[in-house]
């Protein structure tokens, strides 16, 4: 490859892992505890959870960003995280693959389990977690010195995969899953930055999918896109949930209603309510939730 990558760049590109199994249950990743979480009378979605979060609190220096958050995130479903700016949505998302640790002064208390594996167990390296939990950011971030093809395969190459046939197969599969293959198959040697904004975001999704994670995190993935590109991203999310667990942060109430199976409402660092999206937007159980989704505040 032609690019020099910083340690921060590399932290976003986890090594390859086996493709998702036909059922949500998984063999533990080496180095991650296989103990299962105890049952708790906490807010939870009814499906078998991919992620189990208990009593999660996060500080950045003296600022308390999350306060005692407990919830389950259903496997092979889309969970939307909503709430006003500064309520802890993005912090919560980054805790799910330990990205918050890149921020100086970050401290976390509580428990997060990925298919039963404690991702914060003392012996667990954050890189092992990021093998299984990929992330797509608000602003598309293709590597500017790399071609379209190199952008998709960079994570595979960094982790020792060199066989051209394997790289090409995984690249095409990821681009097809990101609904981008037909648009770029004849210009794979062009810079990733030559694509439109919506295509760049789908390229970043393909890059995350190429290493075959269990969970895909999306932090406002369409907030900078036009309506047509946004529609493509939302259609893609619906296709991807057939194989992946997806957690999306969004400020767009209509997007949350269209895309998600479950919605969690955060306010001032706390989880206020989690339920099926249809119920959250038609008959929420909490007055604060009702006021927010109907536009009375936020």
């Amino acid at each position: 490859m032609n690019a020099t990558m910083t340690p921060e760049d590399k932290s976003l590109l986890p090594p390859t892992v086996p493709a998702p199994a036909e059922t949500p249950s998984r063999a533990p990743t080496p180095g991650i505890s296989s103990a299962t979480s105890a049952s708790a009378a906490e807010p939870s979605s009814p499906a078998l959870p991919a992620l189990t979060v208990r009593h999660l609190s996060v500080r950045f220096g003296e600022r308390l960003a999350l306060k005692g958050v407990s919830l389950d995130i259903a496997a092979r479903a889309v969970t939307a995280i909503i709430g006003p700016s500064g309520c802890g949505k993005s912090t919560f998302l980054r805790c799910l693959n330990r990205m918050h640790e890149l921020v100086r002064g970050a401290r976390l208390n509580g428990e997060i389990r990925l298919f039963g594996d404690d991702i914060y167990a003392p012996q667990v390296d954050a890189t092992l977690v990021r093998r299984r939990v990929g992330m797509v950011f608000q602003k598309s971030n293709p590597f500017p010195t790399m071609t379209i093809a190199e952008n998709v395969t960079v994570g595979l190459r960094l982790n020792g995969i060199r066989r051209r046939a394997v790289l090409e197969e995984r690249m095409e599969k990821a681009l097809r899953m990101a609904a981008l293959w037909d648009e770029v198959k004849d210009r794979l040697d062009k810079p990733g930055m030559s694509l439109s904004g919506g295509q760049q975001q789908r390229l970043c999704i393909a890059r995350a999918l190429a290493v075959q994670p269990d969970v895909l995190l999306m932090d406002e993935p369409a907030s900078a896109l036009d309506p047509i590109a946004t529609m493509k991203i939302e259609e893609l999310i619906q296709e991807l949930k057939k194989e992946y667990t997806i957690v999306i942060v969004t400020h767009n109430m209509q997007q949350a209603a269209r895309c998600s199976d479950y919605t969690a409402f955060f306010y001032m660092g706390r989880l206020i309510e989690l339920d099926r999206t249809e119920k959250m937007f038609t008959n929420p159980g909490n007055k604060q939730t009702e006021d927010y989704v109907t536009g009375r505040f936020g």
Side-chain angles (χ1 to χ4, degrees):
M1 292 186 294
N2 300 322
T4 300
M5 300 183 66
T6 67
E8 289 78 8
D9 289 335
K10 292 181 181 181
S11 73
L12 306 182
L13 297 167
T16 183
V17 293
E22 289 302 313
T23 61
S25 62
R26 296 271 180 167
T29 297
I32 298 181
S33 170
S34 62
T36 57
S37 59
S39 60
E42 308 286 359
S44 63
S45 56
L48 177 67
L51 288 153
T52 303
V53 180
R54 293 293 180 263
H55 313 298
L56 177 66
S57 295
V58 179
R59 286 186 179 274
F60 296 102
E62 296 302 314
R63 183 174 70 89
L64 185 59
L66 291 174
K67 309 169 187 176
V69 173
S70 295
L71 77 163
D72 293 342
I73 293 174
R76 297 199 179 179
V78 181
T79 298
I81 311 296
I82 64 171
S85 296
C87 70
K89 302 185 300 297
S90 292
T91 296
F92 174 76
L93 200 71
R94 289 166 179 263
C95 290
L96 299 180
N97 72 345
R98 297 180 60 169
M99 286 290 295
H100 76 289
E101 293 178 342
L102 300 177
V103 179
R104 185 185 299 272
R107 289 180 293 160
L108 177 146
N109 290 306
E111 178 182 80
I112 301 178
R113 292 183 179 270
L114 173 63
F115 293 110
D117 298 332
D118 182 358
I119 69 172
Y120 285 94
Q123 72 274 18
V124 175
D125 191 306
T127 304
L128 297 177
V129 176
R130 293 171 197 151
R131 286 182 178 181
R132 300 177 67 183
V133 186
M135 191 160 187
V136 177
F137 297 90
Q138 179 178 3
K139 188 179 186 300
S140 58
N141 58 345
F143 296 116
T145 61
M146 296 186 189
T147 66
I148 293 168
E150 289 169 340
N151 261 281
V152 179
T153 59
V154 60
L156 304 176
R157 291 178 182 275
L158 281 173
N159 291 281
I161 297 179
R162 296 288 183 267
R163 288 182 56 194
R164 183 173 179 179
V166 174
L167 290 170
E168 290 181 350
E169 178 184 356
R170 296 280 286 274
M171 175 190 63
E172 179 176 344
K173 180 179 179 181
L175 286 169
R176 286 187 182 279
M177 293 189 73
L180 193 56
W181 173 253
D182 289 339
E183 298 173 37
V184 303
K185 63 183 179 182
D186 297 324
R187 48 181 175 142
L188 295 170
D189 59 343
K190 301 298 182 183
M193 296 297 290
S194 69
L195 299 176
S196 70
Q199 289 173 326
Q200 287 184 28
Q201 190 65 304
R202 283 183 283 148
L203 179 63
C204 293
I205 293 172
R207 186 174 67 197
L209 295 174
V211 296
Q212 298 178 327
D214 294 332
V215 176
L216 188 61
L217 310 177
M218 295 183 168
D219 193 355
E220 299 190 61
S223 64
L225 303 180
D226 61 66
I228 293 176
T230 296
M231 181 180 67
K232 289 185 177 182
I233 295 293
E234 291 179 3
E235 291 173 348
L236 175 58
I237 289 171
Q238 292 305 302
E239 286 298 312
L240 291 176
K241 77 174 185 179
K242 297 174 184 177
E243 296 190 39
Y244 297 94
T245 300
I246 298 175
V247 187
I248 178 172
V249 164
T250 181
H251 279 288
N252 187 322
M253 296 299 97
Q254 290 77 24
Q255 183 174 78
R258 288 191 300 263
C259 288
S260 65
D261 302 291
Y262 300 95
T263 297
F265 172 51
F266 280 60
Y267 184 65
M268 297 185 68
R270 299 185 184 278
L271 173 67
I272 303 303
E273 187 171 357
L274 167 67
D275 212 324
R276 286 195 171 273
T277 294
E278 182 179 3
K279 184 177 184 299
M280 285 281 284
F281 281 91
T282 58
N283 186 29
N286 186 283
K287 183 63 164 56
Q288 271 187 307
T289 308
E290 181 181 358
D291 289 345
Y292 184 74
V293 301
T294 56
R296 293 189 185 124
F297 81 98

